[in-house]
Amino acid sequence: MIINADYKLIKDIVVIGENFTVNRTRGVDAPGGVLEHALEFNPNFPIYAENGKYAQALGAYSERENPLSMIDNTKDNKYTQWRMFGDVHLSITPFKNFMIRTTLGMDYTQKEQRFFTYPIPNGKVMRTDSAVEGKQEHNMRWMWNAIATYNLEIGKHRGDAMIGTEINRQDYKMYSSKRYELAILNTDYMWPSAGAGRQLAEGFGDGFSLVSFFGKINYTYDDKYLASFTIRRDGSSRFGSSNQYGTFPSVSAGWRISQEKFMESTKGWLDNLKLRYSWGQTGNQEISNTARYTLYKAVISTGLWGSGQAGTSYDILGSNGGYDLPNGYVRNQRGNDDIKWETTTQHNIGLDFGILGNEIYGSFDWYNKKTKDILLLMDGIAAMGEGAVQWINAGEVKNNGWEFTVGYRHALPNGFSWDINGNISKYSNEITKLPETVAAKGTYGGNGVKSVVGHAMFSQVGYIYDGIFKSQDEIDNHAIQEGAGLGRIRYKDLNGDGRITEEDQDWIYDPTPAFTWGLNISLQYKNWDLTMFWQGVQGVDVDCRGYKSQTDFWANSAINVPYLNKGVRVLDAWSPSNPDSNIPALTTSDTNNEGRVSSYYIENGSYAKLRTIQLGYNLPKQVVSKLYLDRIRLYASAQNLITIKSSKFTGVDPENPGFNYPIPLNLTFGVNVSF
């Protein structure tokens, strides 16, 4: 349901209105891990057991639930979600060119769901428990602002000014109750109050507030010289009182060179030439709502739940806690009242152009961006005790790059027209400062082996793949490598000490592409129209470790487990009868530690994709008018219709190089009707 309206209370001086939408959604979430289980479930294993129930893994088969069983056991976990959002607004125009407008908006979501636990009668995943969990979530966001604007034009001078304030508040609450041992496994009966066994109640809530004050001035002289100045002051409840506010200014200027007198000689072919420059700062406060607080959590005697955690009290009797120990608290996080806004400063220089009646048009932009006081969650050393993690401001990152866009549009007398434009861009990223403890952990790159400072964020360090041992001579003449053998991966001895050790690791992965590009094509002939959007990435590393661990190995120490379904590449594994293969020989024991991070898993993720293509046809006016309509358009479209990828990429989709489902192909057929 949608309600939109405006009412003029006093002519055009006072106007009040509202925009309001209510919708209701019902659905079932896919069970967690079902795709992974479906891909891994051994195809030799039956779907059903002799008793008619779903067959589950037994014996040497790895512990995985039958994916059909997972779907069947979660099919009743339906949720109902109501969402109401909209605003009411009031505008007052007391005199010409001046207006005050205030808006009060809200977005409320309420979600209710039950989660059912059914017994699994057989296999390694067998369980006898039955349970039901009732869960409610409430998410409330509201906003109020008041903005005053004034426009002025005198001769060749034109300007406008704006000043305003805004308050945002967001609150989230969750309540859950769970009960075991239900006598009847029927969804009409399965409510927490119907259970006879152990029970659990949970609930939490948090929220944050954001207040902003802002102003902006725009000025133009003779449509040739343009300038703008903006300033914001934002305050967030996520920061302590001493650093709650941050001030973020920005300025920009433009010069229409083509409007100058000295450019009159170019008017026959140059229609637009504009030079732009901007500088500005923005703030980031995307951290936990409780980041500045020291947090504690209650830990109770939980032996009843089979978790093995007996609580926080010292068990002086040596009875593993029993069930009578008193409750206690453990620290979960160290507070920091000194954390402040993360700040990004960016410079941008741009040039816009249009020639030959603006049929050829485009722009070029170069930017330089530096982020400081990055908000990080830093682990404490072991000597600091439990819950030593703390949010801090530390580290700096710089980015710079450019983008070039050019297009050509033209219309012919016979009704055929086109607009084709493309863009190409490139950027670089570098971490320039990071605390040693954070860098050593490898959270932002370096895998805990080397400091990521001086490299792109999330770059990886690992061993260098050097082919496969295909003869005993290769093994004998290679550095000492534990687990070396025929058909095993060979790693490079980078430091030349004659042994493969942790020192023989180097940078193997950079997530920054060489460049990205896009191409838009729009064609029209009389009542027909065709649009296409191509997009691509060139020269980018992708990490296929999650995928290749499942397609190239029977077992390895990364994530692969024996006796699961494998990819077809294992059929081409190295063997004495298949000596030219570069896929490791199959083995049930990963003595060579081939699951380690290495360049074997890093591949070229370059691709070109036809993101969207649409063909449309507008019915002739004489046909539409007879139906008392303004327009009828038929169309067919497809998303992700074509993917062109590197021949060196072994996966399915370079955008999803891990053990994930590829981005699907979508086909749509529709009709647009205008009254």
Side-chain angles (χ1 to χ4, degrees):
M1 180 180 69
I2 300 175
I3 301 174
N4 298 321
D6 282 317
Y7 307 93
K8 295 182 179 180
L9 300 183
I10 306 176
K11 296 183 179 180
D12 291 326
I13 299 175
V14 180
V15 179
I16 189 171
E18 81 279 340
N19 303 287
F20 194 66
T21 301
V22 178
N23 61 44
R24 179 177 182 266
T25 305
R26 294 201 71 195
V28 180
D29 296 324
V34 65
L35 176 61
E36 181 179 345
H37 281 230
L39 293 172
E40 292 181 343
F41 203 74
N42 197 306
N44 294 326
F45 206 81
I47 297 175
Y48 298 100
E50 292 181 354
N51 60 4
K53 305 294 184 181
Y54 288 108
Q56 307 293 351
L58 292 167
Y61 292 97
S62 299
E63 184 177 339
R64 293 291 187 279
E65 185 178 353
N66 187 323
L68 292 179
S69 170
M70 296 178 68
I71 294 173
D72 190 60
N73 285 336
T74 57
K75 71 180 186 300
D76 297 320
N77 295 352
K78 299 175 183 177
Y79 67 83
T80 301
Q81 178 173 291
W82 286 90
R83 185 184 180 198
M84 297 172 284
F85 61 96
D87 66 74
V88 292
H89 51 268
L90 169 69
S91 61
I92 302 174
T93 309
F95 53 87
K96 184 180 179 181
N97 298 330
F98 179 72
M99 183 177 71
I100 300 173
R101 181 183 174 95
T102 182
T103 303
L104 177 64
M106 58 85 71
D107 185 349
Y108 173 72
T109 302
Q110 185 267 337
K111 183 178 180 181
E112 181 271 329
Q113 188 171 13
R114 276 187 295 166
F115 298 88
F116 299 94
T117 300
Y118 295 106
I120 297 177
N122 55 58
K124 289 184 174 181
V125 295
M126 182 179 69
R127 66 172 177 239
T128 58
D129 283 333
S130 63
V132 62
E133 177 187 2
K135 184 177 181 180
Q136 279 207 3
E137 297 175 85
H138 302 265
N139 197 348
M140 176 65 176
R141 292 183 292 176
W142 64 265
M143 159 295 278
W144 171 81
N145 65 35
I147 300 173
T149 58
Y150 181 68
N151 302 307
L152 181 66
E153 185 171 353
I154 302 175
K156 295 182 179 181
H157 302 272
R158 188 170 69 250
D160 59 81
M162 178 268 288
I163 188 170
T165 184
E166 182 171 292
I167 300 173
N168 285 271
R169 175 69 192 181
Q170 179 171 330
D171 290 286
Y172 173 81
K173 298 180 179 69
M174 186 280 289
Y175 306 95
S176 170
S177 62
K178 188 173 185 177
R179 193 78 179 265
Y180 286 78
E181 294 185 26
L182 295 141
I184 301 173
L185 301 182
N186 181 287
T187 57
D188 292 332
Y189 174 84
M190 296 175 73
W191 292 90
S193 294
R198 61 192 190 274
Q199 55 188 335
L200 176 67
E202 292 183 302
F204 69 88
D206 67 6
F208 77 96
S209 301
L210 182 69
V211 60
S212 303
F213 307 93
F214 45 85
K216 184 176 183 179
I217 298 175
N218 297 316
Y219 171 75
T220 303
Y221 176 74
D222 198 21
D223 283 332
K224 288 191 293 186
Y225 311 109
L226 307 93
S228 177
F229 174 75
T230 303
I231 188 166
R232 293 184 62 95
R233 184 160 175 81
D234 298 309
S236 172
S237 63
R238 291 171 171 170
F239 303 114
S241 57
S242 58
N243 294 305
Q244 211 157 43
Y245 285 86
T247 302
F248 309 105
S250 65
V251 295
S252 64
W255 178 25
R256 295 186 187 275
I257 305 174
S258 53
Q259 299 290 93
E260 296 288 356
K261 289 185 178 181
F262 61 79
M263 297 292 290
E264 289 182 355
S265 61
T266 66
K267 288 190 180 296
W269 60 275
L270 180 62
D271 303 286
N272 177 41
L273 185 63
K274 179 182 177 183
L275 182 65
R276 297 175 279 106
Y277 171 76
S278 63
W279 172 93
Q281 292 184 326
T282 56
N284 175 34
Q285 51 112 35
E286 293 305 314
I287 54 176
S288 165
N289 292 334
T290 55
R292 65 188 178 103
Y293 298 105
T294 297
L295 302 179
Y296 296 87
K297 67 176 180 179
V299 178
I300 64 173
S301 177
T302 55
L304 177 65
W305 305 95
S307 69
Q309 185 172 8
T312 58
S313 300
Y314 183 71
D315 181 20
I316 195 169
L317 298 179
S319 59
N320 196 29
Y323 302 138
D324 298 320
L325 291 174
N327 299 342
Y329 292 84
V330 295
R331 188 176 62 183
N332 221 20
Q333 171 185 290
R334 288 189 300 140
N336 182 2
D337 208 40
D338 293 326
I339 51 175
K340 58 185 178 181
W341 286 83
E342 176 182 307
T343 303
T344 297
T345 303
Q346 180 168 329
H347 300 262
N348 183 282
I349 299 175
L351 184 72
D352 302 323
F353 64 89
I355 59 178
L356 301 179
N358 282 315
E359 287 191 341
I360 299 176
Y361 60 94
S363 64
F364 178 82
D365 282 271
W366 175 89
Y367 66 88
N368 180 278
K369 182 167 63 174
K370 183 177 180 179
T371 302
K372 66 177 184 177
D373 297 323
I374 296 175
L375 293 162
L376 305 172
L377 184 61
M378 184 177 71
D379 289 338
I381 59 176
M384 299 174 71
E386 194 167 3
V389 297
Q390 183 184 49
W391 283 97
I392 63 170
N393 290 97
E396 295 181 1
V397 176
K398 69 176 182 180
N399 294 270
N400 59 69
W402 54 266
E403 180 176 7
F404 176 65
T405 301
V406 64
Y408 177 47
R409 54 194 169 207
H410 188 69
L412 297 176
N414 64 358
F416 180 62
S417 63
W418 65 85
D419 188 345
I420 301 173
N421 63 80
N423 65 79
I424 183 171
S425 63
K426 178 179 175 59
Y427 76 94
S428 63
N429 168 274
E430 181 185 346
I431 296 178
T432 57
K433 185 184 296 185
L434 203 63
E436 291 185 8
T437 52
V438 176
K441 188 180 178 183
T443 304
Y444 296 93
N447 300 86
V449 179
K450 293 187 177 184
S451 172
V452 73
V453 175
H455 296 268
M457 186 176 290
F458 304 123
S459 296
Q460 292 189 34
V461 171
Y463 294 86
I464 309 300
Y465 167 72
D466 194 29
I468 300 291
F469 287 115
K470 297 182 178 180
S471 69
Q472 189 60 45
D473 285 343
E474 290 184 3
I475 299 174
D476 295 339
N477 293 317
H478 186 62
I480 298 173
Q481 178 178 314
E482 185 177 351
L486 292 176
R488 304 270 50 89
I489 291 180
R490 182 174 63 233
Y491 301 102
K492 284 188 177 182
D493 178 18
L494 297 183
N495 63 2
D497 66 355
R499 302 181 67 88
I500 302 300
T501 66
E502 292 182 356
E503 302 299 321
D504 296 306
Q505 297 183 75
D506 207 348
W507 296 97
I508 61 172
Y509 170 82
D510 185 338
T512 309
F515 62 87
T516 60
W517 59 272
L519 178 65
N520 286 285
I521 300 174
S522 178
L523 308 175
Q524 187 162 348
Y525 179 68
K526 296 182 178 179
N527 290 346
W528 292 90
D529 59 85
L530 175 68
T531 59
M532 287 187 286
F533 171 52
W534 289 84
Q535 183 264 334
V537 175
Q538 185 64 36
V540 64
D541 293 336
V542 291
D543 184 358
C544 300
R545 190 165 176 241
Y547 175 80
K548 292 183 77 172
S549 293
Q550 304 286 353
T551 62
D552 290 24
F553 301 87
W554 184 253
N556 79 25
S557 58
I559 57 174
N560 192 285
V561 181
Y563 304 107
L564 296 178
N565 188 28
K566 308 297 176 184
V568 295
R569 280 171 55 88
V570 297
L571 300 176
D572 190 37
W574 185 94
S575 67
S577 59
N578 188 28
D580 295 328
S581 174
N582 285 315
I583 300 174
L586 301 185
T587 178
T588 58
S589 179
D590 185 13
T591 57
N592 196 36
N593 188 19
E594 290 169 351
R596 71 181 82 181
V597 179
S598 75
S599 59
Y600 180 81
Y601 299 103
I602 308 303
E603 297 187 350
N604 183 354
S606 302
Y607 66 83
K609 288 194 174 189
L610 179 54
R611 290 291 189 190
T612 305
I613 182 170
Q614 184 176 106
L615 177 65
Y617 177 70
N618 291 287
L619 294 182
K621 292 281 187 183
Q622 57 270 29
V623 175
V624 176
S625 61
K626 292 179 181 179
L627 300 174
Y628 302 99
L629 299 173
D630 292 331
R631 183 188 183 210
I632 299 179
R633 180 175 180 269
L634 310 175
Y635 69 90
S637 66
Q639 287 79 41
N640 302 303
L641 182 63
I642 299 173
T643 297
I644 303 171
K645 56 188 178 182
S646 168
S647 60
K648 296 180 180 179
F649 178 72
T650 61
V652 178
D653 190 334
E655 281 192 286
N656 267 332
F659 200 50
N660 300 312
Y661 199 79
I663 296 176
L665 163 66
N666 293 321
L667 300 175
T668 305
F669 303 91
V671 180
N672 293 328
V673 179
S674 300
F675 298 90

